[in-house]
């Protein structure tokens, strides 16, 4: 089975990475089968989207789109728009 | 003597040639367009008299009609000296089963009551009398029967919260002893999904 | 009593709104409303993008108007549902982010319950039969045993949906209630349309089909008038039946459609018939707003309700009659 993987890496201070991770986690449920999103914090915030069904690419794009929009909104809201990705 | 100002009619206790009787007068509603209002009142008055009659033929206790005046939207009918189930059911839950049997009988004969609230069942000499057939009609459709049952459910769950589950079970038992309920219950679920669980917008 | 400042975030459908309240009342209420293009309904994703784009501005203005800094907010409330998923998530993400970053308690609010709570607060109704009419709701309710119980509702589409779907067919942009009301005022020609009432419930789908069809061969004003008269009379009759059945002496009207003057007039007539007092939520707070969420959040917070950030999900179809009303609004009203 083909797997599509999209990695997003954001260099952010820990408190912002932590805020984003927790703020997004609650919606990270009821994903369609074959689609997943994982978040890890090291010195940056790493988000990995995986999709193992080529027919679900559209859902994957929508999920990535919405997630990035939420992140941008949070950064905007907390007054720190210094993300490098 | 005015005894009740109902939702759509004034109910008076009157003397009808030496006998106590009820006058049900459908009054004009200030909130309805005149053309609409007149047609509704006239239609419901004639219809109610007709439906009371065929429900009685189906073996359901209903008041006898003495006189019908469609022009003034008035029905003169038998006075039932009883109390409403709404005030008794919380103490005497078995009344739900009796209600179920009556509704089962109606539906078996393709009669839809249209307003099955606990205030439209009267208790007289330990027997139930069904009143207010203003929204009634004849129909074989499962959908129409399901809407009737759903209303019973709505009223029990809102006005009789403490006994709701048991009362509903008894009602359905009573109904099912007269008329097969399974298909109708499936339809009730579908209707609930449609309206009650409808997605916003 | 300690004064608690609650920030409420509303984002269930068209409206993104933030509001700050405390026990003394509403300190600010700022909104940004997504407008669908003409002849179209709400597009959830587009509405969500609108909400996200306007969120910072709305939040900052709400805080400024209330002359408070986010750091001095004591509790954050958000609308958890019912509503459109993408829209709800925008509000929830903001609420969770603020709660984590500033370490504030988070309170989930049912949007429909919140319409009722704000209405109770603003009108000081005590024990009403309540009519909740908005885009997504069309229900007749009363409080008993700590829950809002449904005494009547629509069997298919809501009054708001009826007006919107008819309006879109006529080429208006949704929400269409105001323009239909305006056109209806120019006519008194009643065209007979299906009137369908089932006990305390109404059914609007037959009326919608007939009204759309009638559009093709009649004056628009006449059909708007006839549609409005028929739909409102049906709802008013359902309310009258529920009033007679419950014997309540108060009627409270909340939700976006409560702003319609003709409907308010009809409901006033029915209240007169049953010696009931009519309470209509002020037009300014009839539609979706942050204040409803903030106020209900404050009530919940005082009752000890809060939620962990990881549990702060959204529920698209969260029925209001499943919410336990365990807070005491009397202690906050003075």
């Amino acid at each position: 089975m083909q797997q599509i993987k999209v990695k997003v890496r954001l260099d952010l201070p820990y408190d912002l990475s932590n805020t984003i991770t927790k703020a997004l986690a609650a919606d990270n449920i009821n994903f369609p089968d074959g689609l997943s999103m994982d978040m890890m914090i090291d010195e940056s915030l790493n988000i990995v989207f995986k999709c193992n069904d080529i027919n679900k690419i559209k859902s994957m794009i929508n999920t990535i789109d919405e997630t990035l929009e939420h992140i941008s909104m949070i950064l905007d809201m907390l007054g720190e728009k210094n993300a490098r990705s | 003597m005015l005894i009740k100002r109902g939702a759509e009619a004034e109910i008076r206790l009157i003397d009808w040639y030496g006998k106590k009787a009820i006058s049900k007068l459908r009054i004009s509603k200030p909130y309805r367009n005149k053309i609409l209002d007149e047609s509704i009142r006239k239609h419901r008055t004639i219809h109610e008299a007709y439906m009371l009659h065929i429900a009685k033929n189906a073996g359901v206790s209903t008041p006898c009609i003495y006189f019908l005046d469609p022009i003034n939207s008035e029905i003169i009918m038998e006075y039932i000296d009883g109390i409403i189930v709404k005030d008794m059911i919380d103490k005497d839950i078995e009344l739900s089963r009796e209600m179920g049997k009556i509704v089962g009988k109606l539906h078996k004969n393709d009669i839809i009551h249209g307003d099955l609230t606990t205030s439209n069942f009267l208790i007289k000499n330990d027997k139930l009398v069904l009143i207010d057939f203003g929204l009634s009609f004849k129909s074989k459709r499962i959908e129409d029967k399901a809407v009737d049952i759903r209303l019973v459910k709505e009223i029990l769950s809102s006005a009789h919260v403490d006994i709701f589950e048991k009362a509903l079970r008894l009602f359905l038992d009573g109904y099912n002893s007269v008329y097969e309920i399974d298909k109708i219950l499936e339809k009730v679920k579908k209707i609930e999904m449609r309206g009650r669980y409808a997605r916003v917008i | 009593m300690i004064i608690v400042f609650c920030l409420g975030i509303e984002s269930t459908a068209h409206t993104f709104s933030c509001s700050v309240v405390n026990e003394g009342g509403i300190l600010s209420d700022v909104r940004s409303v997504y407008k669908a293009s003409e002849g179209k309904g709400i597009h959830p994703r587009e509405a969500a993008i609108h909400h996200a784009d306007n969120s910072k501005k709305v939040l900052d203005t709400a805080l400024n108007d209330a002359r408070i800094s986010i750091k001095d907010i004591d509790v954050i409330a958000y609308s958890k549902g019912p509503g459109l998923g993408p829209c709800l998530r925008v509000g929830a993400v903001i609420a969770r982010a603020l709660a984590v970053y500033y370490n504030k308690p988070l309170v989930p609010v049912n949007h429909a319950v919140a319409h009722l709570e704000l209405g109770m607060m603003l009108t000081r109704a005590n024990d009403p039969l309540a009519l909740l009419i908005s885009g997504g709701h069309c229900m007749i309710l009363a409080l008993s045993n700590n829950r809002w119980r449904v005494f009547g509702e629509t069997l298919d589409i809501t009054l708001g949906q009826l007006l919107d779907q008819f309006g879109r067919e006529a080429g208006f942009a949704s929400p269409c209630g105001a323009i239909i009301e305006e056109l209806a005022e120019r006519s008194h020609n009643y065209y007979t349309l299906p009137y369908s009432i089932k006990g305390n419930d109404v059914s609007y789908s037959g009326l919608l089909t007939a009204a759309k069809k009638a559009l093709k061969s009649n004056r628009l004003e006449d059909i708007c008038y006839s549609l409005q008269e028929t739909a409102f009379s049906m709802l008013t009759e359902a309310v009258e039946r529920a009033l007679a059945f419950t014997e309540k002496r108060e009627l409270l009207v909340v939700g976006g459609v409560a702003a319609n003057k003709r409907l308010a007039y009809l409901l006033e007539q029915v209240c007169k018939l049953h010696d009931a007092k009519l309470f209509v939520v002020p037009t300014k707070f009839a539609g979706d707003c942050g204040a409803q969420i903030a106020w209900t959040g404050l009530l919940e917070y005082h009752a000890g309700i809060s939620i962990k950030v990881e549990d702060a999900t959204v529920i698209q179809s969260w029925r209001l009659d499943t919410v336990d009303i365990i807070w005491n609004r009397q202690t906050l009203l003075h």
Side-chain angles (χ1 to χ4, degrees):
Chain A
M1 202 186 288
Q2 249 185 334
Q3 198 184 54
I4 304 150
K5 210 191 237 184
V6 175
K7 283 189 192 174
V8 177
R9 189 184 153 88
L10 293 152
D11 291 329
L12 291 170
Y14 174 79
D15 57 347
L16 284 177
S17 295
N18 180 48
T19 300
I20 290 169
T21 314
K22 288 185 173 155
L24 299 185
D27 292 328
N28 197 358
I29 49 167
N30 298 327
F31 268 31
D33 273 347
L35 196 65
S36 71
M37 171 179 138
D38 290 297
M39 294 179 284
M40 286 146 296
I41 307 175
D42 41 38
E43 63 273 25
S44 342
L45 170 61
N46 301 283
I47 308 175
V48 182
F49 300 89
K50 280 184 209 152
C51 176
N52 55 24
D53 181 348
I54 198 83
N55 297 313
K56 298 229 166 83
I57 263 231
K58 195 131 201 272
S59 311
M60 186 188 196
I61 294 167
N62 288 340
T63 305
I64 296 172
D65 185 44
E66 190 178 298
T67 305
L68 293 179
E69 185 178 282
H70 287 168
I71 292 172
S72 142
M73 185 173 73
I74 293 170
L75 293 175
D76 203 18
M77 188 85 47
L78 301 178
E80 312 260 351
K81 216 158 189 189
N82 50 4
R84 295 176 300 277
S85 52
Chain B
M1 183 180 64
L2 185 70
I3 54 174
K4 190 175 179 348
R5 198 181 294 279
E8 59 163 348
E10 290 176 354
I11 311 292
R12 284 189 176 75
L13 183 59
I14 59 162
D15 178 86
W16 185 254
Y17 300 106
K19 221 178 187 176
K20 272 186 184 175
I22 288 291
S23 148
K24 178 170 182 175
L25 181 67
R26 285 194 160 76
I27 47 167
S28 169
K29 294 295 176 187
Y31 59 79
R32 267 196 305 243
N33 172 282
K34 277 219 157 48
I35 301 169
L36 178 63
D37 187 63
E38 271 167 30
S39 108
I40 286 174
R41 283 188 293 136
K42 192 172 162 193
H43 175 262
R44 285 189 187 163
T45 304
I46 296 172
H47 214 65
E48 170 158 33
Y50 171 67
M51 295 307 295
L52 275 165
H53 174 72
I54 63 166
K56 195 181 279 298
N57 283 349
V60 172
S61 280
T62 60
C64 294
I65 296 161
Y66 299 152
F67 185 72
L68 172 66
D69 179 355
I71 305 295
N72 294 311
S73 302
E74 184 179 13
I75 302 176
I76 312 278
M77 62 186 127
E78 183 189 356
Y79 170 61
I80 308 288
D81 186 10
I83 39 174
I84 54 176
V85 164
K86 184 188 171 194
D87 294 340
M88 282 299 289
I89 194 169
D90 295 276
K91 282 171 242 133
D92 185 2
I93 195 166
E94 275 294 320
L95 288 168
S96 326
R97 189 195 299 278
E98 294 308 309
M99 282 171 57
K101 283 184 192 163
I102 289 171
V103 180
K105 252 186 226 172
L106 288 177
H107 286 185
K108 194 176 177 182
N109 289 280
D110 299 328
I111 299 167
I112 313 301
H113 184 271
D115 192 14
L116 289 172
T117 68
T118 43
S119 56
N120 282 336
F121 288 88
L122 300 177
I123 313 162
K124 191 194 176 185
N125 303 333
D126 293 332
K127 283 183 75 180
L128 294 190
V129 181
L130 183 55
I131 60 166
D132 203 346
F133 281 71
L135 298 179
S136 304
F137 57 99
K138 287 275 285 180
S139 169
K140 287 186 190 307
R141 292 173 64 216
I142 291 179
E143 165 103 17
D144 292 326
K145 294 175 184 176
V147 169
D148 246 6
I149 301 293
R150 201 201 76 96
L151 182 65
V152 173
K153 206 174 156 186
E154 183 173 89
I155 291 296
L156 290 176
S157 70
S158 55
H160 307 287
V161 179
D162 294 332
I163 58 159
F164 165 57
E165 276 162 27
K166 193 169 176 211
L168 182 64
R169 205 166 53 240
L170 289 172
F171 175 89
L172 297 175
D173 268 3
Y175 185 101
N176 201 39
S177 71
V178 180
Y179 189 56
E180 166 85 42
I181 200 161
D182 293 357
K183 272 191 187 150
I184 298 168
L185 274 186
E186 271 172 40
K187 198 77 188 181
V188 170
K189 284 211 183 81
K190 275 193 193 140
I191 296 169
E192 285 174 340
M193 296 297 279
R194 210 189 292 157
R196 311 195 81 184
Y197 300 95
R199 279 274 308 279
V200 171
I201 306 290
Chain C
M1 189 186 219
I2 308 162
I3 300 290
V4 173
F5 289 88
C6 179
L7 167 69
I9 303 168
E10 155 64 22
S11 71
T12 52
H14 295 84
T15 304
F16 181 83
S17 173
C18 293
S19 159
V20 179
V21 304
N22 66 15
E23 290 78 358
I26 301 165
L27 304 177
S28 68
D29 182 80
V30 181
R31 300 166 209 177
S32 175
V33 180
Y34 159 80
K35 293 256 189 293
S37 43
E38 281 184 21
K40 295 261 168 58
I42 184 168
H43 186 293
R45 190 70 188 106
E46 278 177 20
I49 291 168
H50 161 273
H51 295 350
D53 288 349
N54 290 280
S55 55
K56 182 175 167 57
K57 195 178 69 201
V58 170
L59 174 67
D60 288 349
T61 315
L63 291 170
N64 271 337
D65 286 2
R67 298 181 183 189
I68 193 169
S69 134
I70 182 76
K71 295 188 174 73
D72 296 322
I73 291 287
D74 298 298
V75 51
I76 295 166
Y78 75 104
S79 56
K80 182 183 166 94
L84 301 166
C87 299
L88 285 170
R89 284 195 290 275
V90 170
V93 164
I94 293 167
R96 291 188 296 244
L98 294 174
V100 173
Y101 196 77
Y102 296 104
N103 193 24
K104 307 286 182 192
L106 192 57
V107 177
V109 173
N110 179 295
H111 171 86
V113 167
H115 270 301
L116 293 160
E117 286 297 350
L118 187 69
M120 298 281 277
M121 187 268 270
L122 292 172
T123 64
R124 304 290 153 111
N126 182 39
D127 176 28
L129 183 75
L131 175 61
L132 168 59
I133 33 172
S134 63
H137 293 92
C138 190
M139 287 177 153
I140 301 166
L141 310 127
L143 253 181
S144 85
N145 293 31
N146 292 332
R147 283 200 184 172
W148 286 98
R149 312 281 170 177
V150 182
F151 282 84
E153 65 184 324
T154 177
L155 293 172
D156 36 56
I157 54 172
T158 67
L159 179 57
Q161 287 164 335
L162 169 75
L163 296 174
D164 256 18
Q165 288 178 27
F166 170 82
R168 293 213 296 272
E169 184 84 7
F172 311 145
S174 77
C176 312
I179 176 126
I180 292 173
E181 182 176 19
E182 204 185 303
L183 286 166
E185 277 168 18
R186 294 189 211 152
S187 164
H188 284 286
N189 299 323
Y190 185 73
Y191 174 93
T192 307
L193 292 168
Y195 184 97
S196 173
I197 184 135
K198 320 259 178 189
N200 299 338
D201 300 323
V202 295
S203 161
Y204 280 134
S205 58
L207 175 58
L208 175 62
T209 311
K212 278 184 179 172
K213 215 170 133 198
L215 256 183
K216 298 192 177 87
S217 48
N218 291 277
R219 280 178 58 214
L220 182 57
E221 290 90 333
D222 293 346
I223 298 305
C224 286
Y225 170 73
S226 308
L227 174 74
Q228 222 184 241
E229 288 304 302
T230 311
F232 291 177
S233 303
M234 279 166 61
L235 188 61
T236 308
E237 185 182 344
V239 166
E240 180 171 26
R241 287 170 172 276
L243 264 182
F245 183 80
T246 58
E247 296 171 2
K248 296 276 184 199
R249 286 289 166 263
E250 296 177 349
L251 176 67
L252 170 68
V253 189
V254 298
V257 189
N260 187 298
K261 290 194 184 60
R262 178 69 186 153
L263 181 61
Y265 172 78
L266 298 181
L267 292 169
E268 203 180 304
Q269 301 303 309
V270 97
C271 282
K272 271 188 199 152
L273 291 175
H274 291 268
D275 296 321
K277 197 159 184 257
L278 177 66
F279 298 92
V280 180
V281 69
T283 304
K284 192 179 168 207
F285 294 105
D288 296 350
C289 61
Q292 70 189 91
I293 305 302
W295 178 253
T296 311
L298 184 66
L299 290 170
E300 291 185 32
Y301 179 74
H302 277 296
I305 298 171
S306 71
I307 193 170
K308 283 194 222 138
V309 173
E310 57 266 37
D311 297 330
T313 52
V314 301
I315 307 178
Q316 297 191 39
S317 50
W318 184 18
R319 276 191 65 86
L320 85 164
D321 55 358
T322 62
V323 179
D324 287 315
I325 312 296
I326 56 166
W327 47 89
N328 184 353
R329 65 183 67 79
Q330 299 310 331
T331 58
L332 290 199
L333 295 177
H334 35 255

